[in-house]
Amino acid sequence: KFSEWKFKLFKVRSFVKPSPGEAQGPTKNTVEAPSSLEETPAALRSIHIPAPEKPALVQPTLTAHSKSLEKPADIGKAREKAVHQASLRQLCRICGASFRADGQNRRYPVHGPVDSKTQGVLRKKEKKVTSWPDLIGKVFKIDVKGDIDSIHPTQFCHNCWNIMYGRFSNSPYEVYFPRNATIEWHPHTPSCDVCQAARGGLKRKGRQSNPSLSKKLKAMADRARRARLPKSQGQPRNSSKALMKKLTNCSKMHLSTKSLAVDYPVDFVKAVSCRICEHLLTDPVETTCKHLFCRTCILRCLKVLGSYCPACQYPCFPTDVESPARSFVNTLHSLLVSCPVKGCEQEVSLEKYNQHISSHKEPKESYVYINRGGRPRQPLLSLTRRAQKHRLRELKLQVKAFADKEEGGDLKAVCLTLFLLVLRARNEHRQADELEAIMQGRGSGLQAAVCLAIRVNTFLSCSQYHKMYRTVKAITGRQIFQPLHALRHAEKTLLPGHHPFEWQPALKNVSARTDVGIMDGLSGLSASVDDYPVDTIAKRFRYDAALVSALMDMEEDILEGMKSKDLSDYLSGPFTVVVKESCDGMGDVSEKHGSGPAVPEKAVRFSFTIMNISVARGQESLRIFEEAKPNSELCCKPLCLMLADESDHETLTAILSPLIAEREAMKSSELLLEMGGIQRTFRFIFRGTGYDEKLVREVEGLEASGSVYICTLCDATRLEASQNLVLHSITRSHAENLERYEVWRSNPYQESAEELRDRVKGVSAKPFIETVPSIDALHCDIGNAAEFYKLFQMEIGEVYKNPNASKEERKRWQATLDKHLRKKMNLKPIMRMNGNFARRLMTKETVEAVCELIHSEERHEALRELMDLYLKMKPVWRSTCPAKECPESLCQYSFNSQRFAELLSTKFQYRYEGKITNYFHKTLAHVPEI
């Protein structure tokens, strides 16, 4: 009781704001609270309590100085409310009965978890209720979660506990609680029923108060018990079966027990029949008193005759009925019944009765509606294979019986014929023809385009595909794959040279024929003694035919783009097409077997991507197509493939020069192409940005990347770039490189080699492809990551203190770094820096891991700031369009690059004094301009 009182006191005081005297701490004049709840009314007579503002709040402690400020009326009200609360503690929250009526004074908290005994019953019934508020709401329909302690009692009696326990356990002492007999609790008033009726309980809404409620509950409980006893022990029940049968009127809906095929015992028949209509149970439900009825029968009776079980008069509501145990339902469905249709002597299970009766021509009079409840019936195709087999089992048995009788057991032929007839009836003749071909053993066969896709995507050569084609045809006897000549015919519609087109004016030095497919890359080369011998294999398309094929592949996208911009379908142009050109080496492609020609083991691929298409409308240009992933291999169209080394300047010049000549001719001409049934005009803009630095130096005639002229965009030397890290601008161009090549070739000023080299700024070969100033993001990441990797090693070895370290010491630093990165970052050591390693190395987490190996806190800060600046600059050169994708980083780039350069020239001067890498120079000096 002391713990109860302490909890109550804490709960009440938490709602009351402390008085100024309490805020400073307890005083000598503070009156102590009573020691138990039973003493509360007596103790409160001797102290003065002011009337609280809210009825739910009672202030437990007051100072003696407040006595002179209080009125007698206020003191009387406070005393009455205290007595009211003490009385509430003696009443049941649910029925209002006094706990003194129960001799043992058993009571249970309204809030909190249910007791162990009730919990065991709920688990047995598989109920998920675990707290008294949820259980009270479920049984009595009373919401106690919003109760207030000054208005509502906080406990309930043992009689209400019996009701809840019996609701789920069907105990012999289960008591009925009328649902319209709920207590209404109100705040304390002068005419309060709680204070007057604390001894004998409260009156319920709509009932007289003279007879006590406990007597009424006892009488109702006795009536319920007598109703559940046999007739010999209880009162004789007034039977109204005729009325109920007339009410349900289900003789044409439910099956009679006489239709059972087996003569079952009488008690068993009663167990599987409805207690109202005495028919076989249809969609059976179970009441709380464990009687079984058809769902429609019990619901009609409850609605008309009242909320009592028709079998025992036990209180029952429509919400209380539930499905019986699954094992009983399975037993019920397995009962055999005779078909009532004349001439049919078949016996079927009750579960299959509906299906059987509907197979007769006139099943309406004998049709029985059986609703098993549960989910709606799912479509056959959405079921699992096991469920499909279960649902179609009867049909399969019937079809099998027919096949055995009529077709010699050929079940497959019967099913295929049925399928064929259904397809023909629905006018799906294409599928029907394919099915008929399968039935006749001819096989449907794959389309030539599908076979071509299979051959390309599985990397099969023509001979390998032909071998597979012959093998499959010999084994199956059907031509599933198409022969090679069919694939070549299908390939012609997909490759350049299929669509007719015209150039206006005609291209200079280019044939007017449009049916040009794959060409020999060496065609047109005049083989003379003085020419450079080209021992290689090359295949290519004609540039204009390849562009036309790419545009026709995008026909739907172009027309959709025009529609989205509200442009007329009949608009003929001119459309402006921006084309990105790319060229790169493909590494080792050596032939591991065979005896082909002696060719280089490297390959070069020249390709193009259509970046965007726009059309002019008035003064503005509307973009009707833009490539979403311009760096994807899916939109990169191959133009030329050659077995050559990308460092072989002469071979590249010999093979790619015809392509460049075609491109130069297309710049000054317009393409006339029929698209969407209308002839349209296209103009082309070519941008050579898909080159790495190695190839840019190759096609622009510059020296290799180890040259003293470190940049492909400006004339700076390595020394100049290290002394001035940021302030450079793009000065090189294709035209200037051509002029410098002529100076290099002719040496008009008769200068020495060093003077001539300084004049031409590193141009040593003839430029033959025009490139646009750009930066290769992947190689930029790789080059910069390799430099940071070196910096980490030098910081571990403290090179800023000791610049003259031996080779063995430097190897030891690298081993230490590799071991630590593997442990902390799971970065395995590599022989050569690659893109994946670079991306994982250039993170803040890596810097934190490296700082664990460095002792100086000052060097920690320098490394962290260097990496932070680099990560802020990186999105600018990684994105396709920085002004849209990362405008903030673009605006801050100049500031970040200057701070980055300042760090390199101060904190890391030991590394960058008089030298700098190519990509650090481009990163710091040229990215914003690019």
Side-chain angles (χ1 to χ4, degrees), residues 864-920:
R864 287 191 186 111
E865 186 179 3
L866 197 70
M867 180 63 77
D868 184 56
L869 290 168
Y870 181 83
L871 294 178
K872 287 178 180 177
M873 294 189 293
K874 182 179 176 181
V876 177
W877 74 75
R878 289 294 306 180
S879 58
T880 305
C881 186
K884 290 182 181 178
E885 297 172 29
C886 50
E888 190 174 338
S889 299
L890 184 60
C891 292
Q892 297 173 356
Y893 194 93
S894 295
F895 173 79
N896 291 333
S897 62
Q898 287 182 20
R899 177 59 186 153
F900 192 91
E902 185 181 339
L903 279 174
L904 291 186
S905 57
T906 54
K907 299 288 186 182
F908 304 96
Q909 186 180 7
Y910 62 86
R911 173 72 176 166
Y912 300 103
E913 190 172 8
K915 57 183 179 178
I916 191 173
T917 62
N918 300 15
Y919 278 108
F920 260 0

Side-chain angles (χ1 to χ4, degrees), residues 9-21:
L9 179 63
F10 171 77
K11 194 170 184 182
V12 171
R13 290 193 64 176
S14 64
F15 286 96
V16 184
K17 294 181 179 178
S19 63

Side-chain angles (χ1 to χ4, degrees), residues 450-461:
V450 175
C451 295
L452 178 63
I454 292 172
R455 187 180 84 75
V456 171
N457 288 319
T458 54
F459 302 102
L460 293 177
S461 65

Side-chain angles (χ1 to χ4, degrees), residues 164-189:
M164 285 188 279
Y165 185 83
R167 172 70 175 79
F168 297 101
S169 67
N170 300 313
S171 62
Y173 50 85
E174 181 180 352
V175 181
Y176 167 63
F177 184 83
R179 299 206 175 195
N180 60 349
T182 56
I183 292 289
E184 287 189 0
W185 302 96
H186 301 285
H188 177 67
T189 57

